[in-house]
Amino acid sequence: MTVEGNGHKMMSTKLQGERAVSATAFACGQSKEIGVHALAESLNELAAAGAGAVEARVHIMIPDGYGRPRLTAVQKLIEKACGARGVKIIFLEQYKTPAAALPLVSVTCTGTAEYADRVIRPGQDIVLTKWAGLGGMVRILQEKEDELEERFAPAFIKQIKEFADEIFAGEELPAARQMGVSVFCQVTQGGIFAALWNLAREAETGLSVDMKKIPVRQETIEVCENYRLNPYQLMSAGSFLMAADNGRELARELTGRGMKAAVIGRMTDNNDKVIQNGEEIRFIDRPAPDELNKILGHTKRGE
């Protein structure tokens, strides 16, 4: 079975008593950390499936004209991140290509997980972990640090850098799974609006979300305002939507363990995908391109 999403692909193969799971994610940009972001998205998809015993296959593609040190820098950061998380790299390929406009990294992680039904039904609460747009904010800083240092104070830049590890899933997934949650949707390409759309599409139901309840860091808002971006359409690897029978209890439990979680809405018994912002009501359209693309589209070699 293959499940495709924005920016990553998930595959599942039936084995006796369990399933083999793989997930592929891509990231491009000028930053040396792009491979770490691809790794995070891929690992997070496996974590959402409850998979362990992880191995990784890595492809690093650099446009012609880039120096060899760029390949080495990207590779070293991926190897460091894999080592810190017990991931074994079983294949790593790096090469230059005239076909790439920006450096591009592809990471495929594999593991095994026990079978588990994904249960989504009307009436369930929708819980968001961490913050909308956080991972994208980290990526913007890594791509545009010089510009942001001219605009913001050093303490502000330092605060954003401290969120770098938040792009990886933490203990919130196993903790939620212990409380009966079976559905986890990572907030990747297209941001929280795209993730909500995908959740409703999988459930074949509607949803109703209170926009004021969606957690967003002030740092994310200010970075987005600086580039005229919508934080709700900005990727946030490491953040997850969960469908829970008792979302308030789940959020309290996770918060009590030092994790950020909030109930932002509920699944409904119709096909409407509603976002309420005070008295204003809007409907979620099909996922739009991620706002990060606007940053990458203006990033050229040497700038």
Side-chain angles (χ1 to χ4, degrees):
M1 178 179 68
T2 302
V3 179
E4 294 189 22
N6 293 325
H8 62 261
K9 178 185 289 186
M10 190 80 172
M11 298 188 67
S12 177
T13 304
K14 186 174 182 180
L15 300 174
Q16 185 175 1
E18 59 183 15
R19 56 178 176 152
V21 182
S22 69
T24 299
F26 307 85
C28 69
Q30 296 286 1
S31 168
K32 295 178 292 186
E33 290 87 355
I34 55 173
V36 178
H37 286 271
L39 174 68
E41 285 194 33
S42 182
L43 283 179
N44 292 345
E45 290 302 314
L46 263 65
V54 177
E55 297 177 337
R57 300 173 65 90
V58 179
H59 297 265
I60 305 171
M61 290 155 277
I62 302 294
D64 284 341
Y66 282 72
R68 186 74 184 179
R70 177 60 65 90
L71 283 166
T72 302
V74 173
Q75 178 179 336
K76 285 184 176 180
L77 286 176
I78 295 175
E79 290 174 339
K80 180 180 178 181
C82 285
R85 289 161 182 84
V87 179
K88 180 181 179 182
I89 299 177
I90 60 172
F91 177 86
L92 190 149
E93 181 180 36
Q94 52 173 272
Y95 53 90
K96 292 185 178 182
T97 172
L102 288 170
L104 172 69
V105 178
S106 165
V107 177
T108 299
C109 291
T110 59
T112 58
E114 295 181 357
Y115 286 109
D117 293 330
R118 291 172 61 86
V119 179
I120 318 175
R121 55 178 174 269
Q124 286 186 311
D125 294 320
I126 302 171
V127 176
L128 174 66
T129 65
K130 299 181 181 177
W131 301 269
L134 188 77
M137 174 189 66
V138 172
R139 284 218 57 194
I140 292 171
L141 175 63
Q142 292 168 347
E143 294 289 332
K144 298 291 187 179
E145 185 169 353
D146 289 345
E147 290 183 5
L148 293 175
E149 284 178 341
E150 294 178 359
R151 172 69 175 81
F152 297 104
F156 181 89
I157 302 298
K158 180 181 178 182
Q159 181 66 39
I160 296 177
K161 290 181 177 180
E162 290 176 353
F163 287 113
D165 282 343
E166 296 290 343
I167 65 173
F168 290 93
E171 293 301 314
E172 63 272 19
L173 298 190
R177 193 170 278 112
Q178 290 175 0
M179 297 183 67
V181 176
S182 62
V183 176
F184 305 90
C185 180
Q186 185 181 189
V187 183
T188 54
Q189 295 285 327
I192 183 67
F193 285 169
L196 287 166
W197 170 275
N198 291 329
L199 182 67
R201 182 180 63 175
E202 178 182 350
E204 298 183 339
T205 69
L207 51 78
S208 178
V209 170
D210 186 341
M211 196 164 177
K212 295 183 181 297
K213 293 184 178 180
I214 299 176
V216 184
R217 295 284 309 186
Q218 183 61 31
E219 296 90 344
T220 301
I221 293 174
E222 294 191 34
V223 168
C224 285
E225 287 180 347
N226 189 66
Y227 291 105
R228 298 182 181 180
L229 307 178
N230 184 341
Y232 301 99
Q233 292 175 202
L234 183 63
M235 64 171 59
S236 190
S239 296
F240 290 85
L241 292 175
M242 304 178 182
D245 291 335
N246 191 333
R248 287 176 175 77
E249 181 182 350
L250 172 63
R252 281 197 301 268
E253 178 66 22
L254 295 180
T255 301
R257 299 188 189 190
M259 309 170 199
K260 178 66 178 178
V263 178
I264 64 171
R266 61 185 177 83
M267 309 301 296
T268 60
D269 60 359
N270 53 48
N271 291 321
D272 295 335
K273 303 169 186 64
V274 178
I275 297 286
Q276 186 168 351
N277 186 11
E279 296 183 357
E280 179 186 355
I281 294 179
R282 59 168 291 184
F283 295 88
I284 302 177
D285 299 321
R286 289 184 175 274
D290 196 280
E291 292 286 81
L292 183 64
N293 292 342
K294 297 177 181 179
I295 300 295
L296 299 178
H298 290 89
T299 300
K300 299 179 182 178
R301 186 167 63 245
E303 293 187 347

